[in-house]
Amino acid sequence: MSVNVGKLSAEEKEKMYSAATTEMEYRVELFNKMVGSCYEKCIDKKFKDGDLNVGENSCVDRCTSKYWQTVGIVGQMLGAADQAAMQQGR
């Protein structure tokens, strides 16, 4: 979506800024939850090495992949539900 910000009113700019801020906060929260979840699931708490071992590395890779796939599916389902609700409201 391309918008010429110079032609927007102050109120429209504030709404756009607020929406972008909310989206950014949501993305940061989502990322932090993914990190916490995959850390708990995959990382050995004894910290024997400074780097991830092969098992931890592949676990983190699978965990993050599944997490983002799930987020995508849930997003699609919520979008479809919102769209259906909007069509019924017409």
Side-chain angles (χ1 to χ4, degrees):
M1 181 173 142
S2 179
V3 176
N4 187 346
V5 179
K7 293 184 179 182
L8 297 176
S9 69
E11 184 179 327
E12 290 171 323
K13 287 179 186 178
E14 182 60 34
K15 284 181 182 179
M16 285 184 69
Y17 178 76
S18 178
T21 300
T22 301
E23 177 71 16
M24 187 60 134
E25 289 170 353
Y26 164 75
R27 296 288 178 167
V28 168
E29 180 183 358
L30 189 64
F31 179 78
N32 287 335
K33 285 181 180 180
M34 179 193 65
V35 169
S37 176
C38 293
Y39 175 83
E40 288 298 318
K41 182 177 182 176
C42 298
I43 307 302
D44 184 12
K45 308 305 182 277
K46 296 177 186 169
F47 297 115
K48 299 173 192 165
D49 297 321
D51 296 326
L52 296 177
N53 64 39
V54 174
E56 291 170 332
N57 205 10
S58 62
C59 180
V60 168
D61 188 44
R62 283 191 312 274
C63 182
T64 56
S65 177
K66 287 179 183 179
Y67 198 93
W68 287 121
Q69 284 177 339
T70 302
V71 167
I73 291 168
V74 170
Q76 288 174 352
M77 292 173 70
L78 289 174
D82 284 347
Q83 200 170 40
M86 286 176 59
Q87 288 178 353
Q88 288 179 351
R90 287 185 189 179

